[in-house]
Amino acid sequence: MAERTLAIIKPDAVAKHAIGDITRRYEEAGLHPKAIRMMRLSKASAEGFYAVHRERPFFNDLTTYMCSGPVVVLVLEGVDAVKTNRDLMGATDPKKADAGTIRAVHGASIEANAVHGSDSVDNAQIEIRYFFSESEFS
Ligand code: ADP
Ligand code: MG
C-alpha cells in the first residue's frame, strides 16, 4: 500500500557529499520524494524531533550532533514506505548494518549514522507534520 515516511540525511552524510547517492537509493527503491528541504536544525527543534529519546544517555550528544551542520529532510512515498526505507537504511549501528545498506555505506558511527527513517506509520505521520505542511507536497 502506498505510504509516506520521513527521512533525514544527517549532517555527517551531507558533509561528505552523499546527498545525491542517498537520494538515488531512495528513488531506485521506489521511494519517491514528495517534499524536500535542506535546513539547519536548532537545538530546540532537534530536541523536539527526538523527544521520545529524552531519557536516553545519548540524547544531548545526539541533538547537538543533529544541529552541527545542515540536514536534508524528505517525505518519501512508495509501497510500504516505512519498512522499505528501514530495510534500505540498515541497522542503527553502521558496523552491524547489512552490506549495501545506506548506513553500512555512509554511516560513520552509531550516532553519525547518515540517515533517519520513521519507524512506524503512526510516527511517520507525526514526523512529517513536524517539518512540513500539506501545501508543500508535490
Ligand atoms: P534508529 O535511528 O535506527 O531508529 P534509534 O531511534 O534507536 O535508532 O536512535 C535514534 C538515533 O540516536 C540513532 O539514529 C543514532 O543517531 C542515535 N543513537 C542511537 N543509539 C545510540 C547510542 N547507543 N549512542 C549514540 N547515539 C545513538
Ligand atoms: Mg528511531
Side-chain angles (χ1 to χ4, degrees):
M1 207 182 82
E3 209 171 78
R4 285 178 180 178
T5 191
L6 185 96
I8 303 178
I9 303 177
K10 295 185 177 183
D12 61 303
V14 172
K16 65 183 276 203
H17 310 300
I19 296 172
D21 182 69
I22 292 171
T23 306
R24 176 184 61 77
R25 288 167 190 269
Y26 293 147
E27 291 189 304
E28 288 183 354
L31 295 169
H32 304 297
K34 301 298 287 180
I36 300 184
R37 190 188 305 137
M38 190 166 191
M39 61 190 295
R40 179 90 179 240
L41 297 179
S42 66
K43 181 83 159 122
S45 126
E47 287 172 356
F49 181 73
Y50 277 120
V52 297
H53 294 308
R54 199 175 294 282
E55 304 305 324
R56 307 281 281 275
F58 55 81
F59 180 72
N60 188 52
D61 279 356
L62 170 64
T63 52
T64 298
Y65 155 67
M66 285 299 289
C67 53
S68 65
V71 298
V72 177
V73 189
L74 307 92
V75 177
L76 302 172
E77 189 175 272
V79 176
D80 293 328
V82 170
K83 182 176 189 306
T84 300
N85 187 38
R86 292 296 301 197
D87 291 347
L88 191 64
M89 290 161 62
T92 306
D93 183 351
K95 290 199 291 287
K96 296 181 182 152
D98 288 345
T101 59
I102 293 171
R103 283 168 163 172
V105 173
H106 291 298
S109 68
I110 192 167
E111 177 180 85
N113 57 4
V115 282
H116 168 82
S118 308
D119 64 2
S120 69
V121 174
D122 286 350
N123 283 338
Q125 277 182 1
I126 293 166
E127 292 178 359
I128 288 168
R129 246 182 266 128
Y130 192 77
F131 287 111
F132 295 99
S133 57
E134 200 57 39
S135 63
E136 292 174 272
F137 295 119
S138 58

Short mmCIF file of all heavy atoms in Angstrom, two decimals, residues 58-83:
data_model
loop_
_atom_site.label_atom_id
_atom_site.label_comp_id
_atom_site.label_asym_id
_atom_site.label_seq_id
_atom_site.Cartn_x
_atom_site.Cartn_y
_atom_site.Cartn_z
N PHE A 58 22.29 9.17 25.43
CA PHE A 58 22.91 9.82 24.27
C PHE A 58 22.10 11.01 23.77
O PHE A 58 22.46 11.62 22.76
CB PHE A 58 23.11 8.81 23.13
CG PHE A 58 21.86 8.07 22.70
CD1 PHE A 58 20.94 8.66 21.84
CD2 PHE A 58 21.62 6.77 23.13
CE1 PHE A 58 19.80 8.00 21.43
CE2 PHE A 58 20.47 6.09 22.73
CZ PHE A 58 19.56 6.71 21.87
N PHE A 59 21.03 11.40 24.47
CA PHE A 59 20.12 12.43 23.96
C PHE A 59 20.81 13.77 23.69
O PHE A 59 20.63 14.38 22.63
CB PHE A 59 18.96 12.63 24.95
CG PHE A 59 17.95 13.68 24.51
CD1 PHE A 59 17.08 13.44 23.47
CD2 PHE A 59 17.90 14.91 25.16
CE1 PHE A 59 16.17 14.40 23.06
CE2 PHE A 59 16.98 15.88 24.76
CZ PHE A 59 16.11 15.62 23.71
N ASN A 60 21.62 14.22 24.64
CA ASN A 60 22.25 15.53 24.45
C ASN A 60 23.27 15.51 23.30
O ASN A 60 23.28 16.40 22.45
CB ASN A 60 22.92 16.01 25.74
CG ASN A 60 23.40 17.45 25.60
OD1 ASN A 60 22.63 18.34 25.21
ND2 ASN A 60 24.67 17.70 25.84
N ASP A 61 24.09 14.45 23.24
CA ASP A 61 25.04 14.31 22.14
C ASP A 61 24.32 14.22 20.80
O ASP A 61 24.74 14.85 19.82
CB ASP A 61 25.88 13.02 22.31
CG ASP A 61 27.02 13.21 23.27
OD1 ASP A 61 27.22 14.34 23.75
OD2 ASP A 61 27.71 12.21 23.56
N LEU A 62 23.26 13.43 20.77
CA LEU A 62 22.51 13.23 19.52
C LEU A 62 21.93 14.55 19.01
O LEU A 62 22.07 14.88 17.82
CB LEU A 62 21.39 12.20 19.75
CG LEU A 62 20.37 12.06 18.62
CD1 LEU A 62 21.04 11.53 17.35
CD2 LEU A 62 19.22 11.14 19.04
N THR A 63 21.31 15.31 19.90
CA THR A 63 20.65 16.54 19.46
C THR A 63 21.69 17.62 19.12
O THR A 63 21.47 18.43 18.22
CB THR A 63 19.63 17.03 20.50
OG1 THR A 63 20.27 17.11 21.78
CG2 THR A 63 18.46 16.08 20.59
N THR A 64 22.85 17.60 19.80
CA THR A 64 23.94 18.52 19.44
C THR A 64 24.47 18.17 18.06
O THR A 64 24.68 19.04 17.21
CB THR A 64 25.07 18.44 20.49
OG1 THR A 64 24.53 18.85 21.74
CG2 THR A 64 26.23 19.35 20.12
N TYR A 65 24.69 16.87 17.83
CA TYR A 65 25.17 16.40 16.53
C TYR A 65 24.18 16.77 15.41
O TYR A 65 24.60 17.23 14.33
CB TYR A 65 25.39 14.89 16.57
CG TYR A 65 25.29 14.22 15.25
CD1 TYR A 65 26.24 14.47 14.26
CD2 TYR A 65 24.23 13.37 14.95
CE1 TYR A 65 26.13 13.88 13.00
CE2 TYR A 65 24.11 12.78 13.72
CZ TYR A 65 25.06 13.05 12.75
OH TYR A 65 24.93 12.48 11.51
N MET A 66 22.88 16.60 15.66
CA MET A 66 21.88 16.82 14.61
C MET A 66 21.80 18.29 14.18
O MET A 66 21.31 18.59 13.09
CB MET A 66 20.50 16.33 15.05
CG MET A 66 20.35 14.82 15.04
SD MET A 66 20.59 14.06 13.40
CE MET A 66 19.09 14.59 12.55
N CYS A 67 22.30 19.20 15.03
CA CYS A 67 22.30 20.60 14.59
C CYS A 67 23.73 21.10 14.33
O CYS A 67 23.96 22.30 14.23
CB CYS A 67 21.51 21.50 15.54
SG CYS A 67 21.95 21.41 17.25
N SER A 68 24.68 20.17 14.15
CA SER A 68 26.07 20.55 13.90
C SER A 68 26.33 20.97 12.46
O SER A 68 27.40 21.50 12.14
CB SER A 68 27.00 19.38 14.25
OG SER A 68 26.77 18.28 13.38
N GLY A 69 25.37 20.74 11.59
CA GLY A 69 25.51 21.12 10.18
C GLY A 69 24.18 20.94 9.50
O GLY A 69 23.23 20.43 10.11
N PRO A 70 24.10 21.32 8.23
CA PRO A 70 22.82 21.20 7.54
C PRO A 70 22.38 19.75 7.37
O PRO A 70 23.21 18.84 7.31
CB PRO A 70 23.08 21.85 6.17
CG PRO A 70 24.55 21.94 6.04
CD PRO A 70 25.13 21.94 7.40
N VAL A 71 21.07 19.57 7.29
CA VAL A 71 20.46 18.27 7.02
C VAL A 71 19.52 18.43 5.83
O VAL A 71 19.16 19.55 5.46
CB VAL A 71 19.67 17.72 8.23
CG1 VAL A 71 20.57 17.48 9.42
CG2 VAL A 71 18.51 18.64 8.59
N VAL A 72 19.14 17.31 5.23
CA VAL A 72 18.11 17.32 4.19
C VAL A 72 16.95 16.46 4.70
O VAL A 72 17.14 15.29 5.05
CB VAL A 72 18.64 16.76 2.86
CG1 VAL A 72 17.52 16.72 1.81
CG2 VAL A 72 19.81 17.61 2.36
N VAL A 73 15.77 17.07 4.79
CA VAL A 73 14.59 16.39 5.29
C VAL A 73 13.69 16.07 4.10
O VAL A 73 13.44 16.95 3.26
CB VAL A 73 13.83 17.28 6.31
CG1 VAL A 73 12.74 16.49 7.00
CG2 VAL A 73 14.79 17.84 7.35
N LEU A 74 13.26 14.81 4.00
CA LEU A 74 12.46 14.38 2.84
C LEU A 74 11.22 13.63 3.28
O LEU A 74 11.28 12.82 4.22
CB LEU A 74 13.24 13.42 1.94
CG LEU A 74 14.61 13.79 1.42
CD1 LEU A 74 15.68 13.27 2.37
CD2 LEU A 74 14.83 13.18 0.04
N VAL A 75 10.12 13.87 2.59
CA VAL A 75 8.95 13.00 2.69
C VAL A 75 9.03 12.06 1.49
O VAL A 75 9.11 12.52 0.34
CB VAL A 75 7.63 13.80 2.65
CG1 VAL A 75 6.43 12.85 2.67
CG2 VAL A 75 7.57 14.77 3.83
N LEU A 76 9.06 10.75 1.77
CA LEU A 76 9.17 9.75 0.71
C LEU A 76 7.87 8.97 0.63
O LEU A 76 7.30 8.59 1.66
CB LEU A 76 10.31 8.78 1.02
CG LEU A 76 11.70 9.42 1.18
CD1 LEU A 76 12.70 8.38 1.68
CD2 LEU A 76 12.16 10.04 -0.13
N GLU A 77 7.41 8.73 -0.59
CA GLU A 77 6.16 7.99 -0.79
C GLU A 77 6.43 6.75 -1.64
O GLU A 77 7.15 6.83 -2.64
CB GLU A 77 5.12 8.88 -1.47
CG GLU A 77 3.74 8.24 -1.52
CD GLU A 77 2.71 9.21 -2.09
OE1 GLU A 77 2.15 9.98 -1.29
OE2 GLU A 77 2.51 9.20 -3.31
N GLY A 78 5.85 5.63 -1.24
CA GLY A 78 6.00 4.40 -2.01
C GLY A 78 5.28 3.26 -1.31
O GLY A 78 4.72 3.43 -0.23
N VAL A 79 5.34 2.08 -1.93
CA VAL A 79 4.71 0.89 -1.34
C VAL A 79 5.45 0.53 -0.05
O VAL A 79 6.68 0.42 -0.05
CB VAL A 79 4.75 -0.28 -2.35
CG1 VAL A 79 4.17 -1.54 -1.71
CG2 VAL A 79 3.99 0.08 -3.61
N ASP A 80 4.69 0.37 1.03
CA ASP A 80 5.30 0.04 2.33
C ASP A 80 6.51 0.94 2.63
O ASP A 80 7.58 0.46 3.03
CB ASP A 80 5.74 -1.43 2.38
CG ASP A 80 4.55 -2.39 2.34
OD1 ASP A 80 3.48 -2.03 2.87
OD2 ASP A 80 4.69 -3.48 1.77
N ALA A 81 6.33 2.23 2.44
CA ALA A 81 7.46 3.16 2.51
C ALA A 81 8.23 3.08 3.83
O ALA A 81 9.47 3.17 3.83
CB ALA A 81 6.96 4.60 2.29
N VAL A 82 7.52 2.91 4.94
CA VAL A 82 8.21 2.89 6.24
C VAL A 82 9.19 1.72 6.30
O VAL A 82 10.38 1.89 6.57
CB VAL A 82 7.19 2.83 7.40
CG1 VAL A 82 7.89 2.58 8.73
CG2 VAL A 82 6.39 4.13 7.47
N LYS A 83 8.69 0.52 6.00
CA LYS A 83 9.55 -0.67 6.08
C LYS A 83 10.59 -0.68 4.95
O LYS A 83 11.75 -1.05 5.17
CB LYS A 83 8.70 -1.94 6.04
CG LYS A 83 9.57 -3.18 6.16
CD LYS A 83 8.79 -4.47 6.22
CE LYS A 83 9.69 -5.65 6.57
NZ LYS A 83 10.84 -5.81 5.70
#
